[in-house]
């Protein structure tokens, strides 16, 4: 039934529409917004016609005399209607009527729903299947995520495809049994034109923003800035936390030091990635596609664009990019943008890896992508005005110390602010890391943490660990103590904890946080 069409049947109570509503209320655990509006229109139709239609005999209360005319009566009070066959009415249970045709019968349409006065599908937070990684989210009409609460408790605002909506779309909130008006829309999220600078907001009756989500992901209140600054932690498996137990990694420890109201820490680490793939996800050094191709108009056909064993996707240093192999780093890859077309990048194979693209929204025509086109990752839109922590280089991808510094300078330049921290490599010895560490300290000053030197000098003490003979031997040559490692490269829980606390202290020294 089209929710915009009027209800024209004569017998409201026994109509197919009302029976369908009743069946849905009894059989479904959640409602789409179209169904909610359908029910709202039916309720309002009943209200509007209750006096005009001779079947309806008007409102009654507990003192109304016994009926003399057959018809349908609308109670306005809860209680026992002694003059209407002793029928007990509870208006909080729903829209109630009493039918008199020689005997009495009660009908109730449950209303433990929020009934909206306009189409509001795009303004309802939807509980999602936990397999999506989110507990609930605000979706647009194409089921793309605008903002959501993840199962780890963090909040994220962006735009990524979600395959399904499940669960109770609305909770048990009742409304009075009366005609619904636009006042119920005052607390609803509205999807806004991005040209306003916002993707969604709660507006008051004068269309002023009470609470809004900006296009850059920050959250703003009406008279004060309520946005929560984000700390993005970029890196490989060391940032992801390989080797630790219980989900402990240095971003996790940093978040424990910073309350979620102060900063939201995101772990953008992906195992196995070298500096080139990390910088491509970040956006500082994007992918250039050497060969042109045709992108079909539909949103399902995959087109191969490069392989890991050729030079069809390289950065400005001529290095091949291989993203997605061990994860997305907090959704920093997809969706990708190429020629202003939003696409999804995927790969197949176990080496060489085959990378393919498909557009996210169908078009009326295909698109010819020229050679030399730039592909921007989702991470490229998350950098400006954010705090960024970089720990890259363990998996190589650079030729010498100066080139690694160039990669860092590209990252910092793209970020456009000085709210950054660089974590140095902890592998190797004092002798073979001396040149790199000297150049890094000269280039980045207090923003650079000489992690190898710190963990050698203070790591065991910070962790409360008594040195073993192996620790003593490693410390003698300036190597990381084995008691803080899970293997020859990755830290253990104690090691990541020491690092997370150290990063927090350095951020205080740099006045990035109080």
């Amino acid at each position: 039934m089209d929710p915009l069409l009027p209800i024209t049947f004569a017998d409201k109570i026994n109509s197919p529409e009302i029976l369908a509503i009743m069946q849905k209320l009894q059989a479904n655990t959640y409602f789409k917004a179209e169904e909610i509006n359908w029910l709202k229109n039916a309720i309002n139709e009943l209200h509007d016609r209750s006096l005009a239609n001779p079947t309806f005999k008007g409102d009654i209360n507990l003192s109304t005399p016994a009926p003399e005319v057959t018809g349908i009566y609308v109670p306005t009070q809860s209680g026992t209607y002694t003059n209407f066959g002793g029928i007990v009415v509870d208006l909080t249970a729903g829209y109630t009527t009493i039918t008199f045709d020689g005997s009495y019968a009660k009908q109730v349409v449950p209303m433990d729903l929020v009934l909206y006065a306009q189409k509001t599908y795009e303004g309802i937070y939807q509980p999602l299947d936990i397999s999506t990684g989110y507990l609930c989210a605000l979706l647009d009409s194409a089921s793309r995520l605008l903002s959501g609460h993840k199962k780890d408790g963090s909040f994220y605002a962006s735009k990524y495809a979600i395959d399904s909506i499940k669960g109770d779309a609305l909770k048990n909130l009742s409304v009075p049994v009366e005609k619904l008006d636009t006042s119920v829309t005052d607390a609803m999220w509205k999807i806004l034109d991005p040209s306003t600078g916002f993707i969604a907001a709660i507006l008051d009756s004068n269309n002023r923003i009470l609470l809004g989500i900006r296009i850059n992901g920050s959250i703003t209140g009406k008279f004060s800035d309520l946005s929560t600054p984000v700390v993005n932690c970029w890196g490989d498996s060391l940032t992801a936390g390989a080797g630790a137990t219980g989900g402990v990694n240095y971003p996790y420890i940093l978040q424990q030091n910073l309350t979620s109201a102060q900063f939201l820490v995101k772990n953008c680490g992906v195992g196995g990635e070298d500096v080139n793939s990390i910088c491509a996800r970040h956006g500082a050094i994007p992918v250039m596609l050497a060969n042109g191709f045709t992108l079909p108009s539909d949103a399902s056909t995959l087109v191969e664009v490069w392989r890991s064993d050729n030079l069809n996707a390289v950065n400005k240093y001529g290095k091949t990019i291989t993203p997605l192999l061990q994860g997305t780093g907090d959704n920093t890859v997809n969706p990708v943008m190429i020629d202003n077309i939003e696409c999804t990048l995927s790969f197949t194979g176990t080496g060489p890896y085959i990378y393919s693209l498909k557009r996210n929204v169908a078009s009326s025509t295909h698109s010819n992508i020229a050679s030399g086109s730039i592909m921007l990752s989702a991470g490229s839109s998350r950098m400006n005005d954010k705090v960024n922590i970089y720990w890259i280089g363990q998996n190589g991808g650079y030729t010498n110390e100066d080139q690694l510094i160039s990669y860092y300078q590209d990252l910092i330049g793209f970020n456009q602010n000085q709210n950054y921290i660089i974590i140095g490599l902890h592998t190797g010895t004092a002798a073979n890391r001396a040149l790199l560490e000297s150049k890094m300290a000269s280039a980045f000053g207090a923003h650079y943490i000489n992690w190898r030197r710190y963990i050698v000098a203070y790591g065991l003490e910070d962790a409360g660990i008594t040195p073993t003979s192996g620790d003593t031997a490693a410390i003698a040559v300036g190597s990381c103590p084995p008691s803080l490692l899970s293997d020859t490269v990755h830290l253990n829980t104690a090691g990541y904890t020491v690092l997370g606390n150290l990063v927090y202290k350095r951020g205080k020294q740099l006045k990035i946080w109080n």
Side-chain angles (χ1 to χ4, degrees):
M1 170 179 146
D2 188 332
L4 300 179
L5 292 178
I7 301 174
T8 58
F9 49 86
D11 184 354
K12 303 292 189 301
I13 297 304
N14 296 317
S15 71
E17 285 80 3
I18 292 297
L19 289 176
I21 290 172
M22 295 294 290
Q23 290 170 358
K24 281 184 173 292
L25 287 167
Q26 294 168 4
N28 286 273
T29 58
Y30 70 96
F31 289 79
K32 294 181 179 178
E34 287 86 347
E35 295 169 337
I36 297 168
N37 286 296
W38 176 30
L39 177 57
K40 177 268 301 181
N41 288 339
I43 296 291
N44 285 347
E45 188 75 18
L46 289 173
H47 182 280
D48 286 344
R49 298 191 178 195
S50 62
L51 297 179
N53 192 312
T55 302
F56 283 83
K57 300 306 177 184
D59 295 343
I60 60 173
N61 56 44
L62 295 174
S63 60
T64 300
E68 298 178 353
V69 179
T70 297
I72 300 172
Y73 297 82
V74 182
T76 60
Q77 293 177 285
S78 296
T80 302
Y81 283 73
T82 57
N83 289 334
F84 284 75
I87 285 185
V88 177
V89 173
D90 179 9
L91 293 183
T92 64
Y95 186 88
T96 304
T97 59
I98 298 176
T99 301
F100 172 70
D101 58 358
S103 61
Y104 299 90
K106 178 175 69 172
Q107 300 83 31
V108 179
V109 177
M111 290 180 59
D112 57 339
L113 305 169
V114 177
L115 304 180
Y116 294 108
Q118 63 180 22
K119 284 187 174 295
T120 60
Y121 180 85
E122 295 182 356
I124 303 173
Y125 260 84
Q126 306 289 337
L128 302 181
D129 189 313
I130 197 169
S131 64
T132 65
Y134 289 82
L135 300 176
C136 63
L138 182 67
L139 309 176
D140 67 9
S141 58
S143 291
R144 291 173 299 191
L145 191 148
L146 300 175
S147 65
H149 294 274
K150 294 186 175 181
K151 62 184 180 181
D152 65 2
S154 62
F155 174 81
Y156 187 65
S158 188
K159 193 172 184 180
Y160 295 97
I162 293 295
D163 294 328
S164 62
I165 302 174
K166 298 181 180 179
D168 293 335
L170 298 169
K171 296 303 180 184
N172 185 9
L173 299 172
S174 62
V175 295
V177 184
E178 60 185 27
K179 185 167 183 178
L180 306 168
D181 59 35
T182 55
S183 65
V184 302
T185 69
D186 286 349
M188 297 188 311
W189 283 91
K190 307 291 193 309
I191 307 304
L192 303 183
D193 188 319
S195 64
T196 64
F198 292 83
I199 60 174
I202 295 177
L203 308 177
D204 66 11
S205 57
N206 295 316
N207 282 330
R208 293 174 299 188
I209 291 177
L210 300 174
L211 183 66
I213 302 172
R214 293 194 186 101
I215 57 176
N216 68 1
S218 62
I219 300 174
T220 301
K222 183 176 179 181
F223 295 115
S224 61
D225 189 349
L226 302 179
S227 60
T228 302
V230 173
V231 179
N232 292 309
C233 300
W234 296 94
D236 47 39
S237 58
L238 289 166
T239 298
T245 57
V248 174
N249 47 56
Y250 94 78
Y252 172 84
I253 298 300
L254 179 59
Q255 184 70 84
Q256 304 312 300
N257 284 287
L258 297 167
T259 67
S260 58
Q262 292 176 306
F263 286 87
L264 178 61
V265 180
K266 293 181 176 293
N267 191 328
C268 304
V270 176
E273 289 194 342
D274 65 9
V275 294
N276 300 286
S277 293
I278 296 170
C279 290
R281 282 194 294 116
H282 175 279
I285 310 177
V287 176
M288 295 183 288
L289 300 179
N291 297 327
F293 63 95
T294 298
L295 187 65
S297 60
D298 65 272
S300 58
T301 302
L302 290 168
V303 179
E304 181 180 331
V305 289
W306 86 83
R307 298 163 61 99
S308 60
D309 59 350
N310 61 33
L311 296 178
N312 287 342
V314 298
N315 60 18
K316 68 179 184 179
Y317 295 105
K319 303 291 186 178
T320 299
I321 309 301
T322 54
L324 296 172
L325 299 185
Q326 294 187 39
T328 66
D330 201 326
N331 295 316
T332 51
V333 178
N334 284 311
V336 297
M337 298 293 293
I338 183 165
D339 284 4
N340 292 319
I341 302 171
E342 183 181 287
C343 299
T344 295
L345 179 70
S346 59
F347 79 95
T348 58
T350 57
Y353 305 105
I354 301 172
Y355 286 89
S356 301
L357 285 172
K358 72 174 185 66
R359 68 169 76 231
N360 288 350
V361 179
S363 174
S364 59
T365 61
H366 66 267
S367 301
N368 292 319
I369 308 301
S371 60
S373 294
I374 298 295
M375 187 181 75
L376 295 173
S377 67
S380 64
S381 64
R382 287 171 48 178
M383 298 306 97
N384 294 335
D385 75 8
K386 303 292 190 298
V387 177
N388 287 276
I389 302 174
Y390 305 112
W391 192 10
I392 67 174
Q394 184 60 50
N395 294 320
Y398 56 95
T399 56
N400 54 45
E401 293 83 2
D402 291 332
Q403 190 176 70
L404 178 58
I405 289 173
S406 293
Y407 278 97
Y408 276 119
Q409 290 171 336
D410 287 332
L411 292 167
I412 296 163
F414 187 82
N415 192 42
Q416 298 181 11
N417 68 48
Q418 293 299 304
N419 292 327
Y420 72 92
I421 295 173
I422 294 173
I423 301 171
L425 299 175
H426 63 288
T427 53
T429 65
N432 60 31
R433 290 297 189 195
L435 179 60
L436 173 62
E437 291 171 356
S438 174
K439 290 190 172 186
M440 291 287 288
S442 177
F444 305 111
H447 292 274
Y448 167 65
I449 293 175
N450 190 327
W451 175 222
R452 182 204 57 78
R453 187 170 63 188
Y454 186 93
I455 200 170
V456 168
Y458 307 108
L460 293 175
E461 179 182 352
D462 285 2
I465 295 175
T466 302
T468 65
S469 58
D471 294 331
T472 302
I475 290 171
V477 294
S479 292
C480 180
S483 291
L484 296 174
L485 295 171
S486 62
D487 52 37
T488 58
V489 173
H490 298 96
L491 303 174
N492 56 23
T493 300
Y496 287 122
T497 300
V498 172
L499 178 58
N501 291 328
L502 176 60
V503 170
Y504 170 70
K505 293 175 183 176
R506 183 59 59 90
K508 288 185 66 176
Q509 294 168 352
L510 295 171
K511 301 188 185 304
I512 295 175
W513 42 73
N514 294 326

